[in-house]
Amino acid sequence: MEIFEAIRGRRSVRVYKKDPVKEEDLKKILEAGILSPSAGNSQPWEFVAVRDAKVKEKLVAGSGQGKLMDAPVVIVVCANISRSSKAYGERGVSLYSFQDTAIATYGMILAAHALGYGTCWVGAFNDSAVAEAINAPKDIRPVAMIPIGRPAEKPKPTSRMPLDKVLHENKF
Ligand SMILES: Cc1cc2nc3c(=O)[nH]c(=O)nc-3n(C[C@H](O)[C@H](O)[C@H](O)COP(=O)(O)O)c2cc1C
């Protein structure tokens, strides 16, 4: 799929078929994550691929987003805070760790879309409940979840502010 077609065609899909996500496809999606740029190539991401029903139940409890967690696979994208801190100190912790993991998340979402899967960025959750569900060590912070499955809905495009409202020439 051509890059602009992928960017234009992606939607947040929140209902999934039960069909499994092929292992080779999941690998391609995760590889898209690790190919993302990161501050000083610090790569502070950690991914947890959740298929286990019991772990998913805990993700549902921690997010209140049951339908989404029904997806055959949910990737929990985490920031390895120590890795960002070692590379960039406070700026690494408070800014780059989130920027780096956000780019990786979007890369995986686009890759999944290009392979015919539906995904949705899930950011509304209780941090400690999700961390506990995946047994995250102290310096690992969950930042996003990506449920992945074959789409069982065809969402309409959502609106965007026009470019001329958000683009400023040289200065505000
Ligand atoms: C940081 C972030 C957090 C989000 N959290 C959630 C969420 O918790 N639950 C949900 O259903 N959608 C969530 N979304 C998806 C947005 O609602 C969606 O991207 C937006 O409405 C635009 O729609 P589109 O993705 O179809 O273009 C999130 C998106 C982002 C980028």
Side-chain angles (χ1 to χ4, degrees), residues 39-171:
N41 203 21
S42 53
Q43 306 167 60
W45 41 69
E46 308 273 353
F47 309 125
V48 182
V50 178
R51 294 187 196 75
D52 182 271
K54 286 206 176 97
V55 182
K56 273 199 239 163
E57 269 168 34
K58 291 187 180 176
L59 299 181
V60 172
S63 67
Q65 308 200 45
K67 207 169 49 169
L68 287 165
M69 298 303 129
D70 253 2
V73 180
V74 178
I75 300 175
V76 184
V77 182
C78 303
N80 184 318
I81 300 296
S82 311
R83 216 175 283 152
S84 291
S85 169
K86 254 181 224 142
Y88 288 105
E90 175 49 29
R91 193 168 176 80
V93 173
S94 63
L95 183 63
Y96 297 155
S97 66
F98 300 117
Q99 291 179 330
D100 294 339
T101 47
I103 300 167
T105 303
Y106 188 46
M108 289 190 280
I109 283 176
L110 281 182
H113 171 64
L115 292 168
Y117 294 97
T119 66
C120 181
W121 186 313
V122 176
F125 53 79
N126 178 297
D127 294 355
S128 39
V130 169
E132 196 261 311
I134 57 168
N135 213 10
K138 197 166 58 62
D139 60 340
I140 301 294
R141 178 173 175 177
V143 292
M145 297 197 277
I146 315 174
I148 306 173
R150 293 292 180 198
E153 63 165 354
K154 206 168 179 286
K156 291 203 173 76
T158 48
S159 65
R160 291 295 185 272
M161 287 185 276
L163 187 55
D164 61 10
K165 257 204 132 169
V166 295
L167 174 68
H168 312 278
E169 291 293 340
N170 301 315
K171 289 181 179 180

